[in-house]
Amino acid sequence: MSRKAADIINDQVKKKPNSVLGLATGGTMMGAYAALVDDYKQNGTSYQQIKTVNLDEYIGLEPEHPNSYHYYINGHFFNRVDIPKDQTYLPNGLAKDIEAECQHYESLIEQIGGMDLQLLGIGQNGHIGFNEPGTSFESTTHIVELASLMRQANSCFFNRLEKVPTHAITMGIATIMKSKKILLLVSGKKKAHIIAQLFTGKVTTQIPASILNTHPNVIVIADQEALSLLS
Ligand code: F6R
């Protein structure tokens, strides 16, 4: 699954060496980044002209914090290929004025030409980025308050619940939908229910990812467990 995803990303990079890649973090993506790094080592696919924009970042975490998305993407990808760091962008969760940072990030994405290919994972409730059920399909980059269930689920990574960030910055759903191509990766039994709902084709803000049904160029790569409830 990860190799397949890496093949599609490699194809994009080879066809358009100055592509803008939209990146995601999370467990599902780790294998894909590892496969890209393998390909870089074996075939020397170059990222010298690539620009990247990440979907999201916690507010208040230093980039060096092991749970920050800066730390994740540096460790899994940027530090292992030849991409110049000044061509990689993530929302700045330490900005003094977070509202202004959201607007800045949205205009930055536009300035660099928008994403040619956006990598996406999906939450069990259908979230994409940090866009939880109920988020407007018109939303651009914005601040989100993290649901207490999500904070509890993440508390094991932060030792104490009080240390889990309360807010994050995320690309909005409209931001994501502007990407020319979207690659959704889904793995595991826990995602089977949401994938089955996604494939009914019904579009509702209660399932943020359902908007992908209206995008002209989406590829879904899923494993058998994730597809096990599809009829
Ligand atoms: C991460 C992100 C999230 C994850 C989603 C799935 O940048 O935006 O929406 O893609 O929560 O996470 P995993 O892959 O850990 O199940």
Side-chain angles (χ1 to χ4, degrees):
M1 188 184 141
S2 297
R3 263 203 304 277
K4 179 96 193 147
D7 284 350
I8 293 172
I9 300 164
N10 279 152
D11 256 17
Q12 175 70 41
V13 171
K14 281 184 193 130
K15 277 192 192 128
K16 189 178 172 195
N18 62 349
S19 292
V20 175
L21 302 180
L23 301 180
T25 58
T28 318
M29 297 298 145
M30 287 182 187
Y33 293 127
L36 287 177
V37 170
D38 276 353
D39 167 82
Y40 170 73
K41 284 187 190 146
Q42 278 164 28
N43 306 316
T45 306
S46 177
Y47 297 84
Q48 283 283 341
Q49 299 177 58
I50 293 291
K51 291 193 179 80
T52 64
V53 275
N54 270 61
L55 276 170
D56 42 16
E57 179 56 292
Y58 290 112
I59 293 178
L61 288 194
E62 306 286 331
E64 299 75 29
H65 191 291
N67 291 326
S68 77
Y69 291 167
H70 278 78
Y71 186 90
Y72 172 107
I73 201 72
N74 281 325
H76 286 285
F77 191 36
F78 299 157
N79 292 347
R80 294 164 180 244
V81 296
D82 65 348
I83 190 160
K85 277 280 169 62
D86 62 357
Q87 289 164 206
T88 66
Y89 305 98
L90 285 94
N92 177 7
L94 296 177
K96 282 218 176 76
D97 184 343
I98 295 285
E99 280 293 353
E101 170 61 16
C102 292
Q103 282 175 27
H104 164 78
Y105 201 67
E106 191 70 25
S107 2
L108 171 104
I109 292 172
E110 215 161 291
Q111 268 167 35
I112 61 176
M115 292 79 82
D116 291 294
L117 176 65
Q118 175 69 53
L119 265 176
L120 278 187
I122 184 171
Q124 289 177 49
N125 62 359
H127 74 223
I128 47 177
F130 270 116
N131 296 290
E132 298 295 338
T135 306
S136 162
F137 288 152
E138 309 304 319
S139 55
T140 54
T141 302
H142 62 285
I143 304 174
V144 283
E145 187 174 354
L146 304 182
S148 68
L149 258 180
M150 180 191 277
R151 292 187 66 232
Q152 272 166 32
N154 283 338
S155 59
C156 53
F157 302 115
F158 288 88
N159 298 328
R160 289 211 319 270
L161 182 59
E162 307 85 76
K163 290 197 170 171
V164 185
T166 55
H167 292 79
I169 301 177
T170 184
M171 280 187 201
I173 296 180
T175 324
I176 294 169
M177 287 294 284
K178 278 195 210 151
S179 175
K180 295 179 188 79
K181 191 189 273 190
I182 293 178
L183 183 54
L184 175 67
L185 304 190
V186 201
S187 148
K189 262 208 180 86
K190 284 184 178 166
K191 305 280 172 75
H193 185 66
I194 194 67
I195 288 307
Q197 280 182 288
L198 209 60
F199 274 78
T200 62
K202 191 177 159 208
V203 177
T204 159
T205 53
Q206 285 318 302
I207 303 177
S210 67
I211 191 70
L212 299 177
N213 282 301
T214 68
H215 191 286
N217 200 350
V218 180
I219 300 171
V220 181
I221 302 182
D223 61 13
Q224 285 189 347
E225 286 192 348
L227 296 176
S228 59
L229 294 179
L230 278 194
S231 42

